[in-house]
Amino acid sequence: MPLALALLLAAAVPDAEIRAATDAITAQVVSTRREIHAHPELSNREEHTGRVVAEHLGHLGLEVRYPVAKTGVVGILRGGRPGGVVALRADIDALPIQEASDVPYKSQVPGVMHACGHDAHTAILLGVADVLASLKDRLPGTVVFLFQPAEEGPPEGEEGGAPLMVKEGALDDPPVEAVFGLHVGGWVEMGEAGWTDGALLASSDTFTIEVAGRGVHGAQPHQGLDPIPVAAEIVQALQLIVSRQIDGRQPRVLTIGRIQGGTRFNIIASQVVMDGTLRTHDAGVRRDIKARMARTVKGVAEAHGTTATLRFLDEGNPPTVNDPDLARLARPVLERVFGAGNVPHVDPQMVAEDFPAYGEKAPYFFFFLGTRNDAKGIPSVNHTDRFDIDEDALPLGVRAMATLAWEFLARER
Ligand SMILES: [Zn+2]
Ligand SMILES: [Zn+2]
């Protein structure tokens, strides 16, 4: 065989071998997903899940760092041939929801449920580790497996999630050149991968507004300071920011989800507290609205002779915007795995992820793995008490992530 041809074949992604290796472990991936589904753990409390992951990776012979970012795991697989470094990420935490379905693998923890499918993400990525470890002699480079806690947000006052993984150096040694991730859900159908080369998910910022008042008899408001009409005016004024002050072509949502003040119909409240969330698809729009919110809250309160404070709870999540170059690389890979007609372009969603925190270190690509199956009665709506997935999507997720990693490592650089 001529040398050039030999090199070309060596570099080619072994699709058939990845598929065969995936077929061999699909039953195991399904049972792992069910085991994790039955034992869900809240953000920053994923003790059992983290241990299961660390042990699995250890048995495969990966270099294992544990714990990382409280309960997370980093596994490193060094291929037998030289090449770059690519990271694959799965989140591992569950939500405070009581599972309503009566599936055999139903949550055994009251009030806690894998209602966002992170059980599937974890099982898929463990499967990818199996597949790539079985082919590691031919693997051209290094794969870093990121099993990340607390994607749904750490408890207040705690650090966690993707930002803490980054802070603790999960992407630094070896230095990661690209990060791939996926999310299961009903945005696309089972058998499809939702792709885009632009914005996929929104930024999210959680905020609290406190309006100070002075309590007095409800019949004599002039002797006190009533925070309730001031709070009402702030709610209206905030909606005028999103509807009147921002370019209409820019997606944005500002929601006040909770408002609390007062104790009784004839007592002027001493304080009103409101919580809300801000969503955008653009870092500049996000910055702009946050600045306008501060000005509006302060200005409306001052106009009525009182004070109001706006506080953002933490750093929030940036928008998830795919790297165009990686998206171009990913599209034909996903078409090889899912079939040419099964990689629809998806519109950006207003839900958010902490995944883009990895963008601080390396470009990334994130996509939707379709798990909705109307014929089987699986709507796969995330964050609901009947959330479930069509498990036939699991091996597709394994092949997609394994092939994306290999394709990135094998490409000419
Ligand atoms: Zn979620
Ligand atoms: Zn999620």
Side-chain angles (χ1 to χ4, degrees):
M1 189 187 298
L3 183 63
L5 182 61
L7 286 173
L8 194 69
L9 285 177
V13 180
D15 283 354
E17 286 89 337
I18 288 174
R19 183 174 195 151
T22 303
D23 288 346
I25 56 147
T26 293
Q28 175 203 305
V29 173
V30 170
S31 74
T32 301
R33 182 253 162 177
R34 292 180 171 202
E35 201 276 333
I36 296 171
H37 189 91
H39 301 96
E41 294 171 302
L42 293 173
S43 305
N44 273 358
R45 304 290 181 271
E46 308 92 336
E47 311 285 342
H48 168 77
T49 313
R51 243 183 346 262
V52 166
V53 168
E55 276 168 21
H56 188 113
L57 298 182
H59 286 145
L60 290 175
L62 270 65
E63 187 184 318
V64 178
R65 294 181 196 153
Y66 171 72
V68 178
K70 302 203 191 276
T71 61
V73 188
V74 174
I76 297 166
L77 177 67
R78 295 180 203 276
R81 294 172 42 228
V85 181
V86 66
L88 304 175
R89 176 273 209 164
D91 39 12
I92 65 174
D93 56 328
L95 284 161
I97 293 178
Q98 175 66 44
E99 183 155 20
S101 307
D102 221 3
V103 289
Y105 45 91
K106 180 179 178 170
S107 169
Q108 292 175 19
V109 184
V112 184
M113 176 192 174
H114 268 294
C116 202
H118 300 180
D119 52 338
H121 302 167
T122 305
I124 286 170
L125 197 53
L126 286 173
V128 175
D130 276 287
V131 167
L132 293 180
S134 75
L135 299 167
K136 80 169 175 192
D137 292 348
R138 294 166 59 189
L139 183 68
T142 300
V143 181
V144 176
F145 294 86
L146 306 170
F147 289 90
Q148 176 214 303
E151 190 284 321
E152 301 288 359
E156 215 191 327
E158 292 182 27
E159 287 187 280
L164 191 57
M165 295 284 285
V166 170
K167 192 174 165 186
E168 293 192 3
L171 280 68
D172 294 342
D173 180 24
V176 165
E177 296 160 14
V179 189
F180 292 92
L182 61 74
H183 209 299
V184 298
W187 297 285
V188 292
E189 282 173 49
M190 152 64 209
E192 292 182 342
W195 174 93
T196 181
D197 55 357
L200 183 65
L201 300 167
S203 64
S204 71
D205 291 287
T206 308
F207 60 85
T208 293
I209 298 168
E210 284 181 29
V211 186
R214 198 165 63 245
V216 70
H217 196 294
Q220 297 154 328
H222 64 289
Q223 291 181 349
L225 199 51
D226 189 354
I228 285 183
V230 179
E233 205 169 308
I234 288 174
V235 172
Q236 301 290 347
L238 291 175
Q239 293 310 322
L240 291 184
I241 296 176
V242 294
S243 71
R244 302 287 86 181
Q245 298 177 26
I246 303 300
D247 187 330
R249 293 165 295 183
Q250 293 286 354
R252 70 277 184 189
V253 171
L254 192 161
T255 293
I256 301 286
R258 192 178 74 95
I259 177 162
Q260 196 165 43
T263 52
R264 199 166 190 275
F265 72 94
N266 61 353
I267 300 175
I268 298 292
S270 56
Q271 171 181 257
V272 172
V273 181
M274 303 184 276
D275 301 326
T277 182
L278 170 66
R279 309 289 170 119
T280 74
H281 284 144
D282 179 88
V285 173
R286 180 187 180 208
R287 250 193 326 272
D288 189 20
I289 294 181
K290 285 172 85 168
R292 288 169 187 272
M293 286 173 71
R295 190 187 67 184
T296 299
V297 168
K298 186 166 180 282
V300 171
E302 272 177 7
H304 297 289
T306 184
T307 53
T309 52
L310 165 69
R311 187 169 60 92
F312 286 92
L313 248 49
D314 50 33
E315 290 302 293
N317 295 314
T320 301
V321 184
N322 279 335
D323 178 74
D325 184 41
L326 289 180
R328 265 194 300 279
L329 173 139
R331 193 173 175 96
V333 169
L334 295 175
E335 285 176 343
R336 297 208 306 267
V337 173
F338 291 83
N342 297 323
V343 185
H345 183 282
V346 284
D347 292 330
Q349 305 292 316
M350 296 317 291
V351 293
E353 251 285 340
D354 72 357
F355 182 80
Y358 297 114
E360 224 178 274
K361 294 285 178 178
Y364 62 79
F365 174 78
F366 197 75
F367 69 99
F368 291 141
L369 175 66
T371 52
R372 184 181 88 227
N373 191 325
D374 297 334
K376 289 187 190 171
I378 305 173
S380 215
V381 181
N382 302 64
H383 289 217
T384 61
D385 60 7
R386 291 188 180 276
F387 179 79
D388 203 354
I389 60 163
D390 183 343
E391 290 175 327
D392 288 347
L394 294 171
L396 290 168
V398 172
R399 285 172 57 206
M401 290 289 259
T403 314
L404 283 169
W406 202 301
E407 184 85 26
F408 176 81
L409 294 173
R411 85 169 169 182
E412 258 186 293
R413 49 191 74 237

